Amino acid sequence: MTARAADRARYDRATAQLEAPLAIVDLDAFDANADDLVRRAGGKPVRVASKSVRCRALLERVLARDGFAGIMSFTLAESLWLARSGFDDVLLAYPSADRAGYAELAADPKLAAAVTVMVDDPAQLDLIDASRAGGDEVVRVCLELDTALKLFGGRVRVGARRSPLHSPAQVAEVARAVAGRPGFRIVGIMAYEGHVAGVGDAVAGRPLRSRAVRLMQATARRELAERRAAVVRAVRAVVPDLEFVNGGGTGSVQHTAAEDAVTEIAAGSGLYVPRLFDNYTSFSGRPAALFALPVVRRPGVGVVTVLGGGYPASGAPGADRLPVPYLPEGLRYDPQEGAGEVQTPLLGPPADDLLIGDKVWFRHAKAGELCERFDALRLVEGDTVTATVPTYRGEGHTFL
């Protein structure tokens, strides 16, 4: 029996009395992945990206482990909810236009002490001030650096379009604007190198593309390390007492941690290890989050139909954004139908061994987005479900 077949047998036994669709997290794999992130971080704390987890119980579990500290959130409403729930170090990774949220933040000392907001434009300060509604708490601010690699005089750009602040001078200028404005305090710098941390460099069947990605990433790492260090020096000249410099992501943990200028690493997807993280030379993890769909039809030889399945991930549309049939091994989508809204046909020899009511296990393309489809996660240890915990959706929250 292969390791994957053994996992399927465990998951089927653990959930034998549960109806699909359902989602699980294998805690042995989750904990092993957490240990690997800490090892790769080389002694620097790992801040957990909540968008890749979206379950308070699992955020609490990982933050109770040595080597993890703080949350990187994705909306202001989520940040305030987490702070009210007892998480005392929440870094909002994206600028917000949530006026009601800013009013709440500026009026509550506990929330203002726990939540740090993201800024890359003085106009965002104007919006925050206009939203205070009389609240006078000092707002903690993090400045975001654009990590994109620019080549040929800027005519070629590699990297996500995030912050407009690319040079040390640009970041320092905004730092001075924040520092000179009452009601705000700069506490950190963030730089997410998604083109390094979030792009696989060993794509199966694509050796030339994989080599090109590795060359690009090596160039990008060198350029960013020099520029990030210069940015930190420029900002410290304005704000000497920065609390943190955050960088990285699951795919670049050890590289980012090696930079002296970086004080903490951000990671989250590496806990669940979705399918987009199969194509990396820098690390390998154990799939920890899966979902099961029930077989409801047997249309013919070599084909079964499962209920649901159309759970595409965000990003540029493509086959890599679809969940992948994982267990039993050897199933694939019908190219004429793909993953369907309410049913999904699957092809392959294993289909003939599946009966009505059997479970087919899938891996989502991305990590936390799975939790937008399910209100609970079944936590599996060995071949037993030891707990059922709500996702954000299960607690009545869909922040985006």
Side-chain angles (χ1 to χ4, degrees), residues 33-324:
N33 293 335
D35 288 341
D36 185 63
L37 288 172
V38 170
R39 177 190 62 80
R40 291 197 287 137
K44 293 185 178 178
V46 178
R47 184 181 290 273
V48 184
S50 64
K51 76 176 183 64
S52 300
V53 180
R54 303 192 201 204
C55 171
R56 277 201 301 166
L58 290 176
L59 289 172
E60 291 169 352
R61 182 184 183 92
V62 72
L63 286 169
R65 303 175 70 87
D66 290 341
F68 291 87
I71 289 176
M72 177 176 283
S73 58
F74 58 95
T75 73
L76 182 54
E78 179 213 15
S79 305
L80 300 177
W81 176 64
L82 290 172
R84 288 193 298 269
S85 301
F87 296 96
D88 60 4
D89 180 6
V90 183
L91 169 61
L92 175 57
Y94 307 88
S96 176
D98 180 354
R99 292 173 173 81
Y102 282 131
E104 186 176 354
L105 177 68
D108 189 316
K110 177 183 175 182
L111 296 180
V115 175
T116 301
V117 305
M118 193 63 60
V119 166
D120 57 33
D121 187 324
Q124 293 155 351
L125 305 179
D126 296 337
L127 188 146
I128 295 171
D129 271 340
S131 305
R132 286 179 180 270
D136 59 2
E137 293 297 324
V138 172
V139 174
R140 292 167 54 88
V141 168
C142 179
L143 304 178
E144 182 170 2
L145 168 67
D146 171 36
T147 65
L149 175 65
K150 294 184 178 182
L151 303 171
F152 305 110
R155 292 189 296 276
V156 175
R157 174 193 174 92
V158 182
R161 296 184 181 277
R162 294 175 60 111
S163 170
L165 307 179
H166 189 81
S167 70
Q170 289 174 316
V171 183
E173 181 180 0
V174 175
R176 286 189 291 270
V178 177
R181 190 152 177 167
F184 297 93
R185 180 162 68 92
I186 299 174
V187 297
I189 299 171
M190 188 193 84
Y192 171 58
E193 50 266 48
H195 50 302
V196 178
V199 178
D201 64 347
V203 182
R206 303 287 296 277
L208 294 179
R209 173 180 169 79
S210 297
R211 177 172 172 76
V213 169
R214 288 194 291 273
L215 289 172
M216 175 276 291
Q217 290 180 339
T219 301
R221 287 197 301 267
R222 288 193 298 271
E223 185 277 336
L224 179 59
E226 294 178 4
R227 183 159 51 89
R228 179 155 40 200
V231 165
V232 172
R233 289 193 298 270
V235 174
R236 287 194 186 278
V238 180
V239 186
D241 56 345
L242 282 178
E243 295 178 15
F244 63 86
V245 177
N246 180 281
T250 288
S252 69
V253 170
Q254 63 269 42
H255 301 298
T256 308
E259 295 182 32
D260 291 338
V262 173
T263 66
E264 63 175 39
I265 308 299
S269 296
L271 296 168
Y272 287 173
V273 185
R275 67 167 294 195
L276 282 178
F277 285 87
D278 287 346
N279 303 318
Y280 284 75
T281 58
S282 61
F283 83 105
S284 61
R286 293 172 55 184
L290 300 94
F291 65 94
L293 302 177
V295 173
V296 292
R297 284 178 169 160
R298 292 170 51 89
V301 176
V303 57
V304 293
T305 302
V306 295
L307 182 69
Y311 307 158
S314 59
D320 66 341
R321 299 291 140 168
L322 296 178
V324 61

Side-chain angles (χ1 to χ4, degrees), residues 338-352:
E341 179 184 7
V342 290
Q343 69 166 35
T344 298
L346 299 170
L347 312 179
D352 294 329

